[in-house]
Amino acid sequence: MKKIIVLLCFFIGVSSFAQQKEYETKSNIQYYNTTINKSDNYINERCVLDIYYPKNTKNFATIVWFHGGGLTGGNKEIPEALKNKGFAIIGVNYRLSPKVKAAKAIEDAAAAVAWAFNNIANYGGDTSQIFVSGHSAGGYLGLMIGLDKKWLQKEGIDANKIAGLIPFSGQCITHFEIRKENGIPETQPTIDTFAPLYYVRADAPPLLLITGDRELEMLGRYEENAYMARMMKLTGHKQTKIFELDGYGHNMTEPAFPLLLNEVNRIIKEKQNK
């Protein structure tokens, strides 16, 4: 009992310390350079991010958060459940189909993560502690840029520098909007160059996959993630985990946020102990 009380006091103290920090939000920061923004009105309008960060703090971790919406809708957000935890949160807008091909959203996701690597130190953040997360289409985008290294290489960033990938109910086979563009039915499983599963590799960043209940999720979403977890492990990846949230459907973000925070803290502690 004494140990439990000590641990509770510790966690309450950590939580109180994080909440005592003062936070600031800067909105609608363009993550492409001026030349690119001037060349494309849609990029200039859509490719912006918000950053919420602890002021007067050094070496904090950052979570880049991609919204869901099937690559056809949605807007950037700073999830309330991630606020006041001692981290910076970056909420990202990206271009949407059908105004552009869905693959443009992957380009944008890479550019936004590159912005974090190139700029977070200016706010006090630690570039070795940048995590990538998001829900549904946002989870898919994080997986694509974290596993297929060419997207971030184009931005001059090594994808392996990402501290952790933590997608919520992300699509692991080829995204349904990209399949729609190519006339492939929703019920036809496809694993091509637009599928995170195509890029399983042993040297990827730590990976935590979180989905809703397999019986309540979207078309085979749990099974896609389970296959991803299995293949990552078989290819030799040592830090792959999967959580299935029983009783929750596709909109399972609220119970998943504490798991995201636990994983971020676990990886930070692991890095500090090395």
Side-chain angles (χ1 to χ4, degrees):
M1 179 61 73
K2 187 175 180 180
K3 288 183 179 178
I4 294 173
I5 292 171
V6 170
L7 283 171
L8 282 172
C9 290
F10 172 77
F11 285 119
I12 290 168
V14 170
S15 177
S16 298
F17 178 73
Q19 291 175 6
Q20 286 171 5
K21 293 178 185 291
E22 184 181 354
Y23 292 82
E24 184 169 342
T25 301
K26 294 188 181 298
S27 301
N28 296 319
I29 299 169
Q30 293 178 313
Y31 53 82
Y32 280 111
N33 64 42
T34 303
T35 301
I36 293 175
N37 287 322
K38 286 183 176 179
S39 71
D40 188 310
N41 287 335
Y42 190 39
I43 288 178
N44 189 60
E45 166 201 339
R46 182 71 189 175
C47 295
V48 294
L49 57 81
D50 297 344
I51 177 169
Y52 166 95
Y53 66 99
K55 293 177 65 177
N56 305 314
T57 305
K58 295 296 183 184
N59 300 319
F60 52 76
T62 300
I63 301 170
V64 181
W65 177 260
F66 293 108
H67 68 81
L71 301 181
T72 63
N75 282 294
K76 58 185 166 61
E77 58 181 344
I78 306 293
E80 287 294 324
L82 301 181
K83 290 182 176 180
N84 299 311
K85 300 297 189 297
F87 307 131
I89 314 298
I90 295 176
V92 183
N93 264 359
Y94 47 86
R95 286 173 288 175
L96 301 171
S97 173
K99 195 158 186 176
V100 296
K101 291 290 187 182
K104 292 296 183 182
I106 308 174
E107 289 183 12
D108 294 346
V113 169
W115 183 93
F117 275 100
N118 293 328
N119 292 277
I120 199 62
N122 297 332
Y123 296 83
D126 182 350
T127 56
S128 73
Q129 297 184 38
I130 294 176
F131 297 81
V132 175
S133 187
H135 176 236
S136 195
Y140 166 80
L141 293 175
L143 283 170
M144 282 299 298
I145 66 170
L147 295 176
D148 180 4
K149 298 185 75 172
K150 73 171 180 282
W151 300 101
L152 277 168
Q153 278 177 346
K154 181 183 175 184
E155 302 293 331
I157 303 294
D158 180 358
N160 284 6
K161 290 185 177 179
I162 294 172
L165 298 168
I166 312 168
F168 292 11
S169 196
Q171 195 150 18
C172 296
I173 64 174
T174 301
H175 194 277
F176 59 75
E177 185 63 18
I178 293 175
R179 284 186 280 153
K180 180 180 174 183
E181 290 174 354
N182 292 282
I184 302 169
E186 277 195 354
T187 52
Q188 175 64 55
T190 306
I191 299 173
D192 59 21
T193 55
F194 288 104
L197 260 165
Y198 195 82
Y199 302 98
V200 294
R201 54 190 180 86
D203 64 335
L207 174 63
L208 173 60
L209 302 157
I210 309 174
T211 78
D213 190 312
R214 69 189 74 187
E215 299 300 333
L216 301 174
E217 263 284 8
M218 293 182 73
L219 291 168
R221 190 60 57 91
Y222 164 78
E223 288 78 7
E224 293 176 31
N225 279 262
Y227 189 34
M228 168 68 83
R230 174 57 56 197
M231 296 311 296
M232 286 291 284
K233 290 175 182 178
L234 289 176
T235 202
H237 193 260
K238 301 299 185 185
Q239 291 198 68
T240 293
K241 292 180 290 186
I242 181 168
F243 291 153
E244 177 185 10
L245 301 181
D246 290 351
Y248 291 90
H250 186 61
N251 295 320
M252 36 56 80
T253 55
E254 290 308 313
F257 283 129
L259 301 176
L260 163 60
L261 292 169
N262 286 345
E263 181 70 352
V264 169
N265 283 317
R266 181 194 70 80
I267 292 171
I268 291 172
K269 185 175 180 182
E270 187 176 88
K271 284 176 173 287
Q272 290 172 343
N273 291 336
K274 282 186 177 179

